[in-house]
Amino acid sequence: GGQLSFEPPGEAESDGAADSYTSDPRKPVPWSSEIRTTQGHLWMVEDQRFAASRPDVLVYRSDILTEDVTIAGPIIADLFVSTTGTDADWIVKLIDVYPPDAPDPRPNPTGVRMGEFEMLLAGEVFRAKYRKSFEKPEPLTPNAVAEIAFDLRDRYHCFLKGHRIMVQVQSTWFPLIDRNPQIFTDIYHAREDDFRSAVHTVHRSRLRPSHLKLNVIAA
């Protein structure tokens, strides 16, 4: 139904259930809401509401958790995707969403608002042309569905009761990740007119259930 669930899509989900967005490498999703000259480390826990409000970012969230959920170990993103282009980047972010009444920190010199704060927990990118081999990249077939799985790396984290679990999917993360022209080409020698908009689709049907795999520790 367009939300996160611990259960896979059932019979009620049509086989065509999917969500699409237009990715424009000339207007990439930034990696931070701040203007920075160095990467630093604070962006790794930054509030992701600045990204969630964009039309080129898909946002999925769970119901409010009725009990703590502790995860440990690797997080694998397994996506069923298609695009109107011949290459695409797929960026998946796992996020801990705080409740609306979460208290603000004290002192609070930067004016952080913790109510519904979207804390980045894990995020990674995969360039689709390397889905079968890093030595022999292959283009995507326009509008054909491909399965792409990649590792968001290990995490040990507790989503507290009253919080939500969120996943964001996007295709640019600039300048943390270089822009993909979204056509199958040698990016290092791409011309400006090689960078093109494309419509990307994430499928979430019973037959094509995009999902995250993670280990949940028993209470």
Side-chain angles (χ1 to χ4, degrees), residues 174-194:
F174 189 77
L176 185 66
I177 303 299
D178 62 326
R179 298 178 304 149
N180 189 326
Q182 304 187 144
I183 62 172
F184 183 71
T185 187
D186 178 1
I187 293 178
Y188 296 105
H189 296 93
R191 303 183 305 272
E192 187 60 32
D193 59 0
D194 290 330

Side-chain angles (χ1 to χ4, degrees), residues 43-185:
W43 69 274
M44 278 301 301
V45 292
E46 186 173 345
D47 187 355
Q48 297 299 302
R49 280 179 284 194
F50 77 92
S53 63
R54 291 177 58 109
D56 52 357
V57 178
L58 297 180
V59 179
Y60 304 97
R61 67 177 189 170
S62 71
D63 290 330
I64 295 173
L65 298 176
T66 57
E67 58 184 16
D68 292 354
V69 175
T70 302
I71 63 170
I75 302 168
I76 305 298
D78 194 337
L79 303 182
F80 292 83
V81 296
S82 57
T83 177
T84 57
T86 52
D87 192 18
D89 287 352
W90 301 97
I91 294 148
V92 175
K93 298 184 294 188
L94 179 62
I95 293 164
D96 186 340
V97 182
Y98 282 59
D101 59 353
D104 296 336
R106 292 186 179 182
N108 192 6
T110 59
V112 174
R113 293 292 175 260
M114 294 305 298
E116 299 188 339
F117 189 94
E118 297 176 6
M119 186 184 74
L120 179 61
L121 178 62
E124 194 54 85
V125 59
F126 195 88
R127 189 150 284 171
K129 65 182 178 182
Y130 298 117
R131 65 196 181 280
K132 296 181 180 179
S133 169
F134 289 110
E135 291 79 19
K136 297 179 180 180
E138 295 182 17
L140 291 166
T141 300
N143 300 313
V145 178
E147 183 176 7
I148 296 175
F150 55 100
D151 193 345
L152 274 62
R153 307 187 186 187
D154 290 20
R155 290 294 185 273
Y156 180 34
H157 179 77
C158 181
F159 295 91
L160 296 177
K161 177 181 177 180
H163 288 223
R164 295 178 189 262
I165 301 172
M166 177 179 284
V167 170
Q168 293 181 5
V169 181
Q170 60 199 60
S171 292
T172 50
W173 211 8
F174 189 77
L176 185 66
I177 303 299
D178 62 326
R179 298 178 304 149
N180 189 326
Q182 304 187 144
I183 62 172
F184 183 71
T185 187

Side-chain angles (χ1 to χ4, degrees), residues 1-19 59-63 164 202-206 208-210:
Q3 290 186 295
L4 290 186
S5 171
F6 287 102
E7 301 298 326
E11 295 291 340
E13 291 276 3
S14 68
D15 291 338
D19 299 302
V59 179
Y60 304 97
R61 67 177 189 170
S62 71
D63 290 330
R164 295 178 189 262
V202 176
H203 299 262
R204 51 175 177 81
S205 67
R206 180 175 57 88
R208 295 165 175 166
S210 295

